[in-house]
Amino acid sequence: MGGEKETRKRLIESAETEFFEKGYLKASLRRICASAGVTTGALYFFFKDKEDLFAAIVEPPLDELVKLMSVHFSAEREMLKSSMTYHHIDGDHDDFSAALVHHIYLNHSAFVLLLTKSQGTRFENCIEKMVDMIEKNYLIVTEEMMQAMPGRCLNKYMLHWLAHMIVDAFIHLVTHERDEGTALVMISRIMDSLVGCWVELLLE
């Protein structure tokens, strides 16, 4: 059992290096196996194919990120339903931002792979999926708010733009900032700015 775990670990480590250097499309299973010191037969004992190997690196942290977002969005909607008003205070998204940033930086290599080397896999559209997830949440939240704001209507273009801005802010940090503490300070300021003006941006 220990030998199998060690072999799988070596394959994943070798695959991560290969995917970083070559990207998914040009990565070679033969080179990955040679670097890990195993045969291709051993690789297929653990993984169905190259995409399954890529998924072993990026999918667990991605799934956890989606879970963190889902839990937060659900709590946010419930809080709004109970009050039917929205009052933004600088820093009121800090716990959520800190949880996201900490998770991302614990799995920094996996997220860089996901964002920069996933072309040709089922993960290549993950950015749009994140945008869609945020956009759907803001749509629900804004529709709840509009019940207490007669005469206001939703600007769906701005809704999509704002969702993209939030995702793009995190992408920039992941790909350009290696220090978690600095990333947290920056994203807290960005989120305060974006969330603080979202009513003015989204409602007409």
Side-chain angles (χ1 to χ4, degrees):
M1 182 66 70
E4 290 182 359
K5 286 184 178 180
E6 181 60 32
T7 299
R8 188 177 188 277
K9 179 182 177 182
R10 291 203 311 273
L11 281 167
I12 289 178
E13 289 174 348
S14 298
E16 187 171 318
T17 299
E18 176 77 2
F19 289 136
F20 264 115
E21 292 179 354
K22 306 294 183 181
Y24 174 79
L25 291 174
K26 294 183 179 180
S28 165
L29 290 181
R30 184 175 296 178
R31 283 194 298 265
I32 290 170
C33 291
S35 177
V38 302
T39 65
T40 54
L43 184 145
Y44 287 114
F45 176 80
F46 296 101
F47 308 102
K48 293 184 295 184
D49 50 29
K50 186 164 71 170
E51 186 175 76
D52 192 36
L53 180 54
F54 188 84
I57 301 170
V58 303
E59 194 163 37
L62 177 60
D63 286 348
E64 182 62 25
L65 181 70
V66 170
K67 180 180 177 181
L68 287 170
M69 293 171 64
S70 297
V71 169
H72 173 76
F73 291 157
S74 178
E76 189 175 55
R77 293 193 296 266
E78 288 303 313
M79 182 176 65
L80 183 61
K81 284 181 181 179
S82 66
S83 66
M84 293 305 296
T85 58
Y86 178 81
H87 300 285
H88 171 69
I89 301 173
D90 283 355
D92 65 0
H93 281 70
D94 280 358
D95 288 346
F96 178 49
S97 297
L100 291 184
V101 168
H102 184 60
H103 175 67
I104 289 169
Y105 278 80
L106 277 177
N107 302 277
H108 190 265
S109 294
F111 281 107
V112 173
L113 272 181
L114 189 66
L115 293 171
T116 65
K117 306 292 183 179
S118 63
Q119 184 178 8
T121 75
R122 66 179 184 271
F123 302 100
E124 63 182 348
N125 295 319
C126 67
I127 293 172
E128 285 301 324
K129 290 179 179 178
M130 292 293 104
V131 171
D132 185 60
M133 185 177 182
I134 293 172
E135 189 173 353
K136 286 179 178 177
N137 176 71
Y138 276 168
L139 177 61
I140 294 170
V141 169
T142 306
E143 287 177 342
E144 290 284 348
M145 291 174 57
M146 287 169 62
Q147 295 182 35
M149 299 179 178
R152 304 292 292 272
C153 61
L154 173 65
N155 185 324
K156 290 187 177 181
Y157 177 88
M158 294 302 291
L159 174 64
H160 183 72
W161 178 83
L162 182 61
H164 251 296
M165 286 287 289
I166 292 172
V167 173
D168 289 345
F170 276 92
I171 290 172
H172 182 82
L173 287 176
V174 172
T175 56
H176 290 82
E177 179 55 61
R178 294 304 303 269
D179 180 69
E180 180 179 342
T182 302
L184 181 56
V185 171
M186 294 299 102
I187 203 65
S188 295
R189 293 179 65 182
I190 291 167
M191 290 298 291
D192 275 339
S193 297
L194 291 176
V195 176
C197 66
W198 77 303
V199 173
E200 288 76 13
L201 288 173
L202 299 184
L203 298 182
E204 298 177 334

